[in-house]
Amino acid sequence: HSIEAIVQGGTDVAVARAIWEAKAGGIELHSSATTPTVEVVIDAGGFNRTITFTRPTNVDAYAEVIMILDSDLYPGDATLQDAIANVTAGQRAGQTLRKSDLIVAARAIAGVVDCTGIRLGRTYAARADTNLIASPREVLKLASARVTITVGYA
């Protein structure tokens, strides 16, 4: 039997120590990553133990947000792009990027009257009107430069 630990956060040494202390004896560790994380910890008997685990890969996500705005209140596209990109600040491995989360972030910005459409994708050209699914080994990440705002005014 073997396990693959997919781990976000923590230092490699701290993660390796936690894995060693938590796993049952006789269970092998493996990683499906092209470049797995490998650390050596010293067990209670003073022996070196090699711990292998996987760090998830950050994957660029692209968004188009179609908004109805009140130009008298709206602070500008940069503010909205930053708010939408920030949705993925705490994104976890395997977590779906949901259109509804972007709508909530957009509606929190002054002057955003309505959000009439969200398109998400792994490339600009592949954006679609669906949530964006991540594999268990991926973390979807937006950035302000990958958020396109299409505007209509109230």
Side-chain angles (χ1 to χ4, degrees):
H1 299 300
S2 66
I3 59 170
E4 177 181 21
I6 303 170
V7 183
Q8 265 181 280
T11 65
D12 291 349
V13 171
V15 169
R17 171 60 54 199
I19 291 170
W20 175 252
E21 291 173 357
K23 81 170 196 70
I27 302 297
E28 296 295 322
L29 296 167
H30 80 279
S31 172
S32 61
T34 304
T35 307
T37 303
V38 179
E39 283 292 327
V40 175
V41 298
I42 300 171
D43 69 12
F47 296 97
N48 287 340
R49 302 296 179 173
T50 301
I51 307 297
T52 303
F53 58 97
T54 301
R55 292 286 190 180
T57 303
N58 286 340
V59 175
D60 288 349
Y62 294 77
E64 177 184 16
V65 182
I66 304 165
M67 311 302 298
I68 303 296
L69 303 173
D70 178 341
S71 60
D72 292 335
L73 300 174
Y74 184 60
D77 288 353
T79 300
L80 182 55
Q81 288 168 313
D82 289 346
I84 290 170
N86 195 47
V87 166
T88 60
Q91 196 82 356
R92 296 182 314 272
Q95 184 178 356
T96 297
L97 179 54
R98 299 189 183 285
K99 295 177 0 177
S100 58
D101 292 339
L102 275 66
I103 292 168
V104 168
R107 294 282 290 129
I109 301 300
V112 174
V113 175
D114 197 6
C115 181
T116 59
I118 301 276
R119 294 178 22 175
L120 299 170
R122 290 171 181 260
T123 66
Y124 180 82
R127 292 169 301 152
D129 189 23
T130 62
N131 290 331
L132 191 56
I133 308 294
S135 82
R137 293 170 184 83
E138 295 175 328
V139 179
L140 298 171
K141 290 291 185 182
L142 287 167
S144 297
R146 294 192 303 274
V147 176
T148 303
I149 308 297
T150 302
V151 178
Y153 291 94

